[in-house]
Amino acid sequence: MADPRRLGAAFLAACAGHGRRRAVVAGGDALDYARFGALVRARARTLDALLGPDTADVGVHAANSADYLVSYYALLVAGRLPFLIDATFGAAELDGIRRGCGVPAFLHDADRPFPLGGTPRAVPGSALALTVLPGGRGDAPAPGPDTATCRFTSGTTGAPKCLEFTADAVTAAARTWAAGTGLGPADRVLCLAGFTNGLAFNTSLLPVFTVGAELHLYQGLPTSGGITRAVARAAATRLVAFPLAYRLLAAAPRPEAAAFATVTRAVSAAAVLDPEVRRTFEARYGVRIADYYGIAETGPCTYERDPERTEGLGTALPGVSVRTVDLPTGEREVRVRTDSMAAGYLNAPGALAERLDPDGYYRTGDLGRIEDGRLFVTGRLGGPINLAGRKIDPAEVERALLDLDGITDAAVFADTDDNGETVLHAALAGTGRLGRAEVVDACRARLAPFKVPGRVTFLPAIPRSAVGKARTTELRRLVRDARAADPTPHGLENPA
């Protein structure tokens, strides 16, 4: 049995075992497990008819919805290979996926034009449409024979890298999370992350259904009021969210602690949570936040089980080994080995293997230490910037900026805003033809929203070494001086 079908069979077995228990709630709609399984089987037959025998690889480029879940599992049941694609990716990223991974077909939200054009076909019984583009796979590498699901992370080349996961890896991640965090059938999980992100993929997409729990989908822009109402409607026992959500809730002018009375675990991931945000949230809502450390390539790694702990990222989950290794620089790098690791990058053959050390541990690029079995991450070796769980390659953003008329040099780096959150900062040199607003608008037209710089500073020149690398210390000093000298706003905070 092909790996997608094996993963689909595991899902259908869970549906059969949990019967009339409620599985998915989205807005006013709810599906029990029996109905969920029936819809998946029917959608699999529909997609089989639409795709025909020759189209196996299908991108899913849509916002979270019950329809998304039905379509994803239907592709698995039908033996197709789903590629989970960030809904904010635009034409450039999608075209890179089409060419680099050989994905010819895309399921997407029917109420919005598909960025690559083509002729969309309605999917009967669905709010999604199907667009099949001409050209087939071309000369793109073929997925491994055991690959069951693919999803993407931005790598150091700037193009989204396609991670291949086997059925064993996906089910191992689900088992690890359920066993390591005590997830059970009585849980009602409200997840604010997109299904393409590791936070949702590892904590919600399969684990919830494996144990017979309920998955509640958050829809709309995240606001403190919206999140509070969603928690109350779901009577959620678990809230899974990025640090931004907890900052919004901590800053709410009128916090409604009663809405959180059912919440036993609030899970935070993707970046270290600001200690003051943690203290304020926990004091206001009476809910402890448990930190979680996971990596796109390896799946879930650590989780904080002790509610009295307020520092660190917890201890290793079942089936996970975490260690730190001394580097020639005197720093210590965090390395992990898990049962849920990706098999490779489809569009960068051999690149993932290069990140493994001789013992099979993944070189995370994170700096840290382990104390009494608990992981503390203290920084990064370099490379992609982690912005609310999304990895952004500065080189990709710099290339887009250098395409703008009047920009002669650019350096993009991680900065912090007035709330202590990570923000993308672009330092630019050029002829002065463009203003900050024009730069941001031009980036919005070229890049996914989360890649648009939140701050822009103009300098006479970007300080560089003899080999052309930006001199970071001097660059940051020049940026500070420029911002201090010019009282006008330097860019737009959170432009997306």
Side-chain angles (χ1 to χ4, degrees):
M1 180 185 289
D3 252 27
R5 282 200 172 91
R6 191 151 62 88
L7 195 53
F11 166 76
L12 290 177
C15 288
H18 303 309
R20 294 299 173 184
R21 295 184 61 84
R22 198 160 64 164
V24 180
V25 181
D29 299 324
L31 297 175
D32 64 27
Y33 278 92
R35 178 62 176 157
F36 194 8
L39 287 173
V40 166
R41 287 188 178 90
R43 182 69 51 82
R45 292 191 293 270
T46 298
L47 292 175
D48 260 341
L50 288 172
L51 291 166
D54 299 325
T55 305
D57 302 342
V58 182
V60 185
H61 181 250
N64 282 13
S65 67
D67 210 345
Y68 184 117
L69 292 171
V70 169
S71 295
Y72 168 64
Y73 285 109
L75 289 169
L76 295 173
V77 169
R80 315 288 169 149
L81 178 57
F83 290 69
L84 305 186
I85 303 170
D86 193 316
T88 66
F89 278 2
E93 291 105 340
L94 289 167
D95 190 54
I97 290 169
R98 181 177 72 88
R99 295 175 184 275
C101 302
V103 179
F106 296 84
L107 284 168
H108 53 91
D109 293 311
D111 59 352
R112 292 185 295 174
F114 183 57
L116 293 182
T119 304
R121 287 184 287 172
V123 178
S126 172
L128 302 182
L130 175 68
T131 295
V132 180
L133 299 173
R137 289 198 54 79
D139 57 359
D146 295 330
T147 301
T149 290
C150 293
R151 62 188 187 88
F152 293 86
T153 181
S154 294
T156 54
T157 63
K161 286 185 179 178
C162 180
L163 289 161
E164 298 183 70
F165 291 95
T166 65
D168 285 341
V170 176
T171 54
R175 287 195 306 269
T176 291
W177 184 255
T181 67
L183 180 68
D187 277 307
R188 297 174 296 278
V189 179
L190 175 63
C191 183
L192 273 65
F195 294 139
T196 57
N197 188 278
L199 177 57
F201 188 82
N202 293 323
T203 71
S204 306
L205 194 56
L206 183 60
V208 168
F209 305 134
T210 300
V211 302
E214 294 179 12
L215 179 60
H216 291 252
L217 309 186
Y218 184 85
Q219 296 174 316
L221 293 174
T223 63
S224 59
I227 297 169
T228 298
R229 288 189 292 273
V231 169
R233 281 196 303 270
T237 61
R238 293 193 178 199
L239 175 62
V240 178
F242 294 122
L244 172 62
Y246 298 110
R247 179 166 67 82
L248 292 172
L249 289 165
R254 291 182 297 277
E256 298 178 34
F260 290 76
T262 58
V263 179
T264 60
R265 298 169 191 259
V267 179
S268 178
V272 177
L273 190 64
D274 182 275
E276 184 58 35
V277 170
R278 179 194 297 277
R279 284 192 292 269
T280 303
F281 174 87
E282 293 180 3
R284 283 185 154 198
Y285 299 96
V287 177
R288 291 282 189 170
I289 296 175
D291 284 303
Y292 150 60
Y293 177 72
I295 302 165
E297 289 84 352
T298 68
C301 299
T302 70
Y303 178 76
E304 184 52 77
R305 300 167 179 82
D306 186 347
E308 299 305 315
R309 293 277 187 169
T310 59
E311 295 182 346
L313 295 171
T315 55
L317 287 162
V320 175
S321 178
V322 182
R323 68 186 185 184
T324 59
V325 176
D326 287 320
L327 301 175
T329 60
E331 300 167 305
R332 294 186 67 84
E333 182 186 21
V334 178
R335 298 185 183 179
V336 299
R337 187 175 64 193
T338 74
D339 295 331
S340 52
M341 292 176 69
Y345 296 117
L346 174 59
N347 54 350
L352 184 59
E354 292 174 359
R355 296 294 300 270
L356 304 182
D357 70 15
D359 295 324
Y361 282 75
Y362 178 77
R363 299 180 175 96
T364 66
D366 287 326
L367 303 175
R369 66 185 190 277
I370 296 174
E371 295 180 3
D372 298 324
R374 185 162 276 98
L375 175 65
F376 292 79
V377 172
T378 58
R380 284 286 295 172
L381 282 170
I385 295 169
N386 188 339
L387 188 64
R390 290 182 167 115
K391 299 294 195 301
I392 301 171
D393 180 20
E396 179 190 16
V397 182
E398 288 167 2
R399 286 194 295 270
L401 290 164
L402 290 171
D403 283 340
L404 305 183
D405 186 34
I407 302 299
T408 59
D409 201 1
V412 173
F413 58 96
D415 202 351
T416 54
D417 63 17
D418 294 337
N419 296 305
E421 298 288 335
T422 301
V423 63
L424 215 59
H425 195 144
L428 305 175
T431 62
R433 296 173 188 166
L434 292 178
R436 298 180 186 92
E438 289 91 341
V439 168
V440 170
D441 287 345
C443 286
R444 283 178 174 150
R446 291 167 168 79
L447 299 167
F450 63 87
K451 298 177 183 178
V452 177
R455 283 182 171 170
V456 177
T457 300
F458 289 94
L459 299 174
I462 304 296
R464 294 190 177 277
S465 68
V467 296
K469 290 188 176 181
R471 295 199 294 268
T472 305
T473 302
E474 185 177 353
L475 175 65
R476 289 182 180 274
R477 179 183 61 78
L478 291 172
V479 165
R480 284 196 302 270
D481 291 346
R483 291 172 67 83
D486 184 355
T488 60
H490 286 253
L492 303 174
E493 301 293 342
N494 301 319

